[in-house]
Amino acid sequence: MLLERVWGRAMTKSLGACLLEIEKREEIEKTHIVEMSHMIFGNAAMSVQDADRLLMLDRSARVRPEGWARFLNAAISHFLVHKHPPYGEIDDSGALWHTQYISRFGAIQKARDWDLLLNLRAYAQNENPVLERFILRQLDDAIICGTGVLALREKNLRADVLGASDMRLVREVLLSCPTGLMHEISEGELELVFNIVTQKGHRQVSRQWRDMFTALVSYALLGSLWPHAKVSRCAWLGTDATGEFTSRLTRAYQNQSIETTEITASGQAFSGNLKEGPAGKWLRMFHADPRLCAHKAHVLHFLRENFPSVYQSLRGQIRLVA
């Protein structure tokens, strides 16, 4: 009966009227979430002004019921992705509108803003460069500079260690990718991880971080050389941060029935060109930067043991081995 009454009110009340009612009371009730859900995810158009008011309510309301944060994430993501054609895309104006609202001097102010950002990125079909740069900047500030909301949340981040906390933050971002990026690693993501390693990786490095980095770089390589093998990044990132990334990556490619013994050592059977992709650009840093030596050795060892034809092809395409 309650749901029927709420649904009936939602059919006769506008989104603006519902928002005005909440603003006057400074309290958000569960019935408000139900009402607005029917409006926003139904046929009612949501304006920029409505979205502004929703975000303001998140900061001003004295009472927020359980489920509010989940509703807000879904509502703002739905608005930005579906506000105009082409649907499924976040345009630069929408990305700027949102990032400017939740940030001050380029840094997010609250932990739930981070959750909203990642939800928004994952909701879209393709990457928006403005949104990606903003997200990666938050990660850079936290891991390398030790500043910002994420640094406060991850209390074990240390300037002289690449550890489990660094790994969890990077994994969280990698898992938030748009559906169109699910089977590859972006150049921005690779650049961030290499930057983290060059800044902190010559110091103390945990097993969890090294395992994730090895899997990430190997995944970028394998994706460039075997583009027909659509291995999802979720297959090796897994459902938990146990540090078994390389094992999961190996199993994922084995499940694709890719037999490395069928590929010539010269790499002629590979259909991709490493030099043309982002993997080649960043892997060339291995040879030039001495701070990457230890990480380089782990990547090469993993490939030599599990993907020997890839290892041989790398020696021919990129000067990875001095």
Side-chain angles (χ1 to χ4, degrees):
M1 289 296 294
L2 174 62
L3 192 59
E4 290 178 1
R5 289 200 305 272
V6 171
W7 171 247
R9 284 183 6 217
M11 293 295 289
T12 57
K13 186 193 300 184
S14 68
L15 178 59
C18 186
L19 290 169
L20 181 60
E21 178 182 307
I22 300 171
E23 288 165 349
K24 288 180 177 178
R25 298 176 57 180
E26 296 185 347
E27 293 183 2
I28 305 169
E29 298 179 352
K30 287 186 176 180
T31 54
H32 292 136
I33 294 177
V34 176
E35 286 180 352
M36 291 189 291
S37 294
H38 283 303
M39 298 171 189
I40 293 170
F41 305 117
N43 296 321
M46 184 176 177
S47 67
V48 175
Q49 290 74 23
D50 292 333
D52 278 330
R53 292 170 73 183
L54 261 182
L55 290 171
M56 286 296 294
L57 279 176
D58 182 54
R59 304 202 169 183
S60 63
R62 292 184 290 105
V63 178
R64 304 181 194 87
E66 182 182 357
W68 167 254
R70 185 167 58 251
F71 160 75
L72 181 67
N73 287 352
I76 296 300
S77 298
H78 181 81
F79 164 67
L80 288 173
V81 171
H82 297 290
K83 66 187 180 82
H84 58 66
Y87 300 121
E89 307 285 338
I90 300 174
D91 61 19
D92 289 351
S93 63
L96 283 170
W97 166 80
H98 183 62
T99 55
Q100 288 174 358
Y101 184 87
I102 65 173
S103 66
R104 185 181 182 189
F105 303 118
I108 57 173
Q109 300 298 295
K110 297 183 179 180
R112 63 174 176 267
D113 292 335
W114 177 246
D115 296 332
L116 178 54
L117 272 173
L118 296 188
N119 185 79
L120 177 58
R121 186 187 186 217
Y123 200 84
Q125 293 179 8
N126 294 305
E127 189 78 90
N128 175 272
V130 173
L131 190 66
E132 184 193 34
R133 284 195 299 270
F134 184 83
I135 290 173
L136 297 181
R137 176 179 173 179
Q138 311 309 307
L139 214 57
D140 188 281
D141 288 345
I143 294 177
I144 297 177
C145 304
T147 60
V149 169
L150 297 180
L152 293 174
R153 192 190 76 176
E154 296 288 338
K155 300 184 184 302
N156 292 325
L157 285 175
R158 290 173 50 188
D160 59 340
V161 175
L162 266 176
S165 294
D166 306 83
M167 179 269 292
R168 280 195 299 270
L169 280 174
V170 173
R171 177 179 175 272
E172 190 176 29
V173 170
L174 293 176
L175 282 171
S176 74
C177 71
T179 53
L181 198 60
M182 190 59 70
H183 297 97
E184 59 184 295
I185 295 295
S186 75
E187 185 170 339
E189 290 169 332
L190 273 174
E191 180 176 4
L192 172 76
V193 173
F194 270 88
N195 189 39
I196 291 171
V197 170
T198 54
Q199 296 296 319
K200 295 178 67 175
H202 58 297
R203 301 166 189 172
Q204 185 177 340
V205 180
S206 71
R207 184 187 66 83
Q208 297 100 318
W209 171 271
R210 182 165 285 133
D211 191 66
M212 185 194 67
F213 179 85
T214 299
L216 173 67
V217 173
S218 300
Y219 180 67
L221 280 166
L222 294 169
S224 296
L225 295 170
W226 286 321
H228 61 285
K230 297 296 184 181
V231 173
S232 168
R233 58 169 73 187
C234 294
W236 62 272
L237 286 166
T239 57
D240 54 67
T242 58
E244 301 298 329
F245 302 109
T246 50
S247 298
R248 289 193 290 243
L249 179 65
T250 302
R251 288 195 298 270
Y253 272 92
Q254 288 172 346
N255 291 338
Q256 290 285 320
S257 299
I258 295 177
E259 298 293 337
T260 56
T261 55
E262 296 178 1
I263 300 177
T264 62
S266 65
Q268 294 302 311
F270 291 125
S271 57
N273 188 338
L274 194 62
K275 293 181 179 179
E276 295 177 356
K281 174 182 177 181
W282 295 108
L283 285 170
R284 278 189 285 275
M285 292 175 62
F286 269 145
H287 185 70
D289 198 323
R291 294 173 294 182
L292 296 170
C293 286
H295 286 77
K296 164 186 165 182
H298 281 274
V299 171
L300 291 177
H301 176 76
F302 169 74
L303 292 174
R304 185 169 57 244
E305 294 297 313
N306 297 280
F307 302 95
S309 56
V310 174
Y311 173 75
Q312 293 297 330
S313 181
L314 283 178
R315 297 186 66 176
Q317 291 198 43
I318 294 179
R319 292 182 62 202
L320 281 177
V321 182

